[in-house]
Amino acid sequence: MNRNTILIWGAGAIGGTLGAYLARAGEDVLLVDIVEPHVDAMNADGLLIEGPVETFRQPVKAATPDGVTGQFDRIILAVKAHHTRDAVRTLKPHLAEGGTVLSAQNGLNEIIIAEEIGAERTIGCFVNFGADWLEPGRILFGNRAAVAVGGLDGQTGAAVREYHRLLSIFEPKAVLTDNIWGYLWGKLGYGSLLFATALTNASMSENLASERHFPVYRRLGQEVMAVANARGVKPLGFNGFNPDAFMPGAGEDAARRSVADMAEFNRHTAKTHSGIWRDLAVRKRKTEVDAQIAIIATLGREAGIATPAIGRLVDLIHDIEDGRREQSWSTLDEMLTL
């Protein structure tokens, strides 16, 4: 393969959607995925992107990891958070000298990537658009939402600007930022609430609109923002989530407005349930809870910040994963005992 080919490692909801848009725009893209039927379907019939945003079928090149040859300057990593380290170690031989890896994932995976290849070769990215992998060769693109890219050190060098160009093909409003950690910690706050919505079978908007469970959402947001604050990060808001509403000293009304705004935002997407819910209810597999949410408790302990709500949420997700609990309102009610 040409080193100028864009290698997208992980062709599910995020990677597949990005890859289809880039390929349609004429970029040379190779999609890599461990699910052989998905790879076979993409090579045979292209990748079908469907939903209210746009529906199209795009011819693409795809391979399993053992079918990848050569080295690449630009690699977009889009695997589940808990597969990050293994994926980076597998793709590392394909990273060209001077090449970079962009983390198009959820969580603080940039930390792990940087440990493996160096912070100077790791590019931070924030994505919040709604998408679901439905079946081999088929992805639901449910709604547009915020996208941002930036260097881990706040710099916006040539590599960062090139990824911004690529992401702008997919999302014209993509942001080039000097505070990517602010976006990532904002997403952790938002994500903690979405993990809580996965404890039931109701939609994201129905969960967030539940007055009974507002104290749960407020407490989760407060714990995440307290840890971010202790680490010297200034979280940024997006798509209804307002970090300032959950900061120490913020009033209850501000948190109510933010949760209500999140509920309203999620009413207008074809992706009614989170990817976490889908992992539990449909795909019957482990979620990203340890890599995305449990790490907040770990960082909190390092900073002397207690995170009991985060800890309880992680335990309840594990209970569902292991078959000890069902997804139900009564399971979410367990969070009210804090």
Side-chain angles (χ1 to χ4, degrees), residues 42-310:
M42 288 190 287
N43 282 325
D45 302 313
L47 186 54
L48 176 62
I49 304 297
E50 62 182 81
V53 177
E54 196 172 5
T55 296
F56 63 97
R57 185 180 294 277
Q58 177 60 40
V60 293
K61 295 179 295 186
T64 54
D66 58 2
V68 179
T69 59
Q71 293 189 315
F72 305 83
D73 289 319
R74 297 165 296 174
I75 300 179
I76 297 176
L77 184 62
V79 301
K80 289 287 187 178
H82 48 298
H83 297 148
T84 298
R85 195 178 299 277
D86 287 343
V88 174
R89 289 177 176 174
T90 304
L91 67 79
K92 191 173 181 179
H94 302 295
L95 182 60
E97 183 177 355
T100 54
V101 174
L102 176 94
S103 171
Q105 303 168 274
N106 291 316
L108 300 176
N109 305 293
E110 286 82 353
I111 294 173
I112 294 173
I113 299 169
E115 288 174 355
E116 295 292 332
I117 64 170
E120 72 283 356
R121 305 181 77 185
T122 305
I123 309 298
C125 179
F126 163 90
V127 292
N128 196 48
F129 64 89
D132 280 323
W133 185 93
L134 299 178
E135 63 183 19
R138 184 175 167 226
I139 292 172
L140 169 71
F141 182 18
N143 66 288
R144 292 194 176 280
V147 174
V149 60
L152 302 191
D153 59 359
Q155 300 301 305
T156 54
V160 176
R161 293 195 300 274
E162 168 61 10
Y163 284 116
H164 179 250
R165 181 188 72 81
L166 293 173
L167 291 171
S168 296
I169 293 171
F170 165 71
E171 175 48 67
K173 296 180 180 179
V175 175
L176 182 65
T177 181
D178 61 0
N179 184 19
I180 194 62
W181 292 112
Y183 276 101
L184 295 176
W185 273 94
K187 184 64 181 287
L188 285 180
Y190 183 98
S192 68
L193 275 65
L194 291 189
F195 266 89
T197 70
L199 297 177
T200 85
N201 278 314
S203 69
M204 292 182 286
S205 58
E206 288 175 301
N207 272 277
L208 292 167
S210 171
E211 169 64 24
R212 173 176 167 78
H213 299 100
F214 166 75
V216 174
Y217 305 130
R218 187 185 185 201
R219 179 63 177 270
L220 288 168
Q222 287 175 326
E223 289 185 2
V224 179
M225 293 304 103
V227 176
N229 198 42
R231 290 178 63 85
V233 176
K234 174 58 178 173
L236 299 174
F238 58 93
N239 302 143
F241 182 75
N242 176 14
D244 291 341
F246 301 93
M247 284 293 182
E252 180 178 318
D253 287 348
R256 286 189 178 279
R257 283 193 297 273
S258 181
V259 173
D261 287 346
M262 291 175 67
E264 181 63 21
F265 176 81
N266 283 289
R267 286 190 186 97
H268 303 283
T269 172
K271 180 181 168 68
T272 57
H273 292 68
S274 69
I276 307 117
W277 176 89
R278 190 171 181 81
D279 281 340
L280 294 170
V282 179
R283 306 195 72 180
K284 306 295 185 183
R285 66 181 184 182
K286 295 287 186 180
T287 70
E288 299 176 290
V289 70
D290 290 325
Q292 266 197 63
I293 303 300
I295 189 176
I296 300 167
T298 300
L299 296 173
R301 283 192 296 272
E302 293 175 1
I305 304 293
T307 56
I310 291 294

Side-chain angles (χ1 to χ4, degrees), residues 195 199 220 289-290 292-295 297 308-321 335:
F195 266 89
L199 297 177
L220 288 168
V289 70
D290 290 325
Q292 266 197 63
I293 303 300
I295 189 176
I310 291 294
R312 185 64 176 137
L313 176 60
V314 171
D315 289 343
L316 290 171
I317 293 290
H318 284 161
D319 282 348
I320 296 172
E321 289 176 340
M335 292 291 296

Side-chain angles (χ1 to χ4, degrees), residues 23-45:
R24 190 176 67 168
E27 299 289 339
D28 186 17
V29 177
L30 176 62
L31 290 161
V32 181
D33 204 88
I34 61 172
V35 180
E36 290 189 18
H38 186 41
V39 170
D40 291 343
M42 288 190 287
N43 282 325
D45 302 313

